[in-house]
Amino acid sequence: MNAAETRALLSALRAAHARGQRAAIATVVGVRGSAYRREGTRMLVLDDGAQVCMLSGGCLEAEVVEVALEVIRTGQSALTHYDLSEDATWGLGIGCGGSVDVRVERVDPEDPVTAAWLAALEAGEKAALIVPLGPGAGRLLVTPEGEALGDLRADLRPFALAAARERLTHLEPRAATLAAPDGTPVFVDVSTPPPQLVLYGAGHDAMPLASQAHALGYDVHVIDPRGAYLTPGRFPGATLHALTPEELGAFMPGERAHLIVMNHHIDRDRVCLAHALHSGAPYVGVLGPRSRALDLLTALEEEGVTFTPDQLARLRSPIGLRLGAEAPEEVALSILAELMAWRRGYDGSFLSGHAGRIHHEPTHPVTPPLEPEPVTGAGTSPTR
């Protein structure tokens, strides 16, 4: 689930609580075979049946809303298995060929674990929420520092802590359901800071890149010494930094930063490239042909500015996928497509004709469907 969806869900939840409405959050906790969304995808359901975000392409939502309304009424969480095969999905031929498990829980803002988890999502802080998928096992919220909040069945606690800490060491941690030593399925949900996109340069072509990135949930920063170019009207939702090349040291990128040099000014680009490569950010790109990046590196070397092999290995040029992009909006799409593939470990190739898995290997090692927590009077069967 990307940062933009999380932002929309939390905003709707805040507004609902302000109106005195109750709500439930439905979370995909297991996927087998093909499905539209992966583990960790969330949907908010309000007590009037309104929903925010989606768990699928539209084939699950109505059923999940019915389950959620019963969960809101009773306060009893529910675990539901849905078969999305062509023949099993209501006879409508809209299945994906796989199956998903969805856990629905009523949101109790007074519960300390729930409050801490929502605060971590709101602030974009790293944290892991451990939820054994069975009744009476408790929950645990774990921070990267190892602090734990909540109650968990004693025999599950060592496994849960180790799983949470391991997951939080990843740059792009993914939610997953893991099998504890005794076979108990344990869902590990994750909160992470939004990916950061830093644009050195506030020219015309930076505007669609910043706008599209913000819509995808990036924390966008634009750096340029020309204050007249750095306006909220040109870069809505972005953080703006009016820094000269000599002042770049005042800006420190985050650990999930993607830095793109696009000043279209050879002197500024040279200084910005040195700042980017020395920053430790995992992705550094230079807009334009490969020869431009090489010329910038040569000029820096002649000035006595050197880089380690590891720093140079983070340099990408040209940037973007080979889409035939020409207009600034198309170039922005090409660049963001590469960033998504790079962040998630894909090669950005065509899916047409691909016979294997579209997504990474399953994160759900439990072979049979999870035992559902029955929901009474919800108007739907817990297993489809």
Side-chain angles (χ1 to χ4, degrees), residues 157-215:
R157 191 178 180 91
F159 169 80
L161 288 172
R165 289 164 183 162
E166 187 277 334
R167 192 102 349 207
L168 290 174
T169 63
H170 298 181
L171 192 61
E172 293 286 337
R174 300 169 61 213
T177 294
L178 309 173
D182 67 351
T184 300
V186 177
F187 180 58
V188 184
D189 206 350
V190 289
S191 168
T192 58
Q196 190 181 65
L197 180 65
V198 180
L199 306 180
Y200 296 93
H204 180 71
D205 54 353
M207 293 165 59
L209 181 52
S211 174
Q212 292 179 29
H214 178 69

Side-chain angles (χ1 to χ4, degrees), residues 34-304:
S34 177
Y36 284 100
R37 304 299 301 270
R38 312 309 294 172
E39 291 90 344
T41 303
R42 307 179 194 96
M43 181 175 83
L44 179 71
V45 180
L46 305 182
D47 57 14
D48 61 359
Q51 67 183 67
V52 178
C53 299
M54 298 181 71
L55 299 181
S56 71
C59 49
L60 286 183
E61 281 67 20
E63 288 280 309
V64 173
V65 166
E66 290 301 314
V67 174
L69 290 175
E70 183 65 12
V71 168
I72 291 171
R73 187 184 70 81
T74 65
Q76 178 66 46
S77 63
L79 179 64
T80 309
H81 177 72
Y82 297 93
D83 188 337
L84 302 179
S85 64
E86 291 287 348
D87 295 331
T89 308
W90 306 290
L92 299 179
I94 57 176
C96 312
S99 63
V100 300
D101 298 306
V102 177
R103 185 175 190 273
V104 184
E105 183 174 17
R106 189 169 73 184
V107 179
D108 178 7
E110 302 300 320
D111 173 67
V113 175
T114 298
W117 174 240
L118 293 176
L121 291 172
E122 188 83 51
E125 296 174 345
K126 270 193 173 183
L129 181 65
I130 311 295
V131 183
L133 298 178
R139 294 183 307 160
L140 200 67
L141 182 72
V142 183
T143 69
E145 296 75 28
E147 298 176 0
L149 174 66
D151 295 316
L152 199 65
R153 210 173 72 200
D155 60 316
L156 291 177
R157 191 178 180 91
F159 169 80
L161 288 172
R165 289 164 183 162
E166 187 277 334
R167 192 102 349 207
L168 290 174
T169 63
H170 298 181
L171 192 61
E172 293 286 337
R174 300 169 61 213
T177 294
L178 309 173
D182 67 351
T184 300
V186 177
F187 180 58
V188 184
D189 206 350
V190 289
S191 168
T192 58
Q196 190 181 65
L197 180 65
V198 180
L199 306 180
Y200 296 93
H204 180 71
D205 54 353
M207 293 165 59
L209 181 52
S211 174
Q212 292 179 29
H214 178 69
L216 290 174
Y218 282 83
D219 174 24
V220 181
H221 295 254
V222 184
I223 301 175
D224 199 294
R226 302 167 296 178
Y229 284 69
L230 290 173
T231 66
R234 287 169 59 85
F235 297 101
T239 303
L240 309 177
H241 306 267
L243 300 174
T244 66
E246 295 75 24
E247 297 170 330
L248 287 177
F251 178 80
M252 182 62 65
E255 66 171 359
R256 303 180 72 211
H258 309 75
L259 314 184
I260 298 179
V261 178
M262 53 187 307
N263 286 288
H264 303 291
H265 186 283
I266 193 68
D267 290 333
R268 287 204 298 271
D269 279 345
R270 187 179 70 253
V271 178
C272 289
L273 179 57
H275 177 261
L277 287 175
H278 283 140
S279 71
Y283 181 104
V284 176
V286 177
L287 188 68
R290 178 71 175 172
S291 58
R292 179 174 175 81
L294 295 176
D295 288 344
L296 293 173
L297 290 174
T298 299
L300 288 167
E301 184 178 357
E302 291 173 352
E303 294 176 4

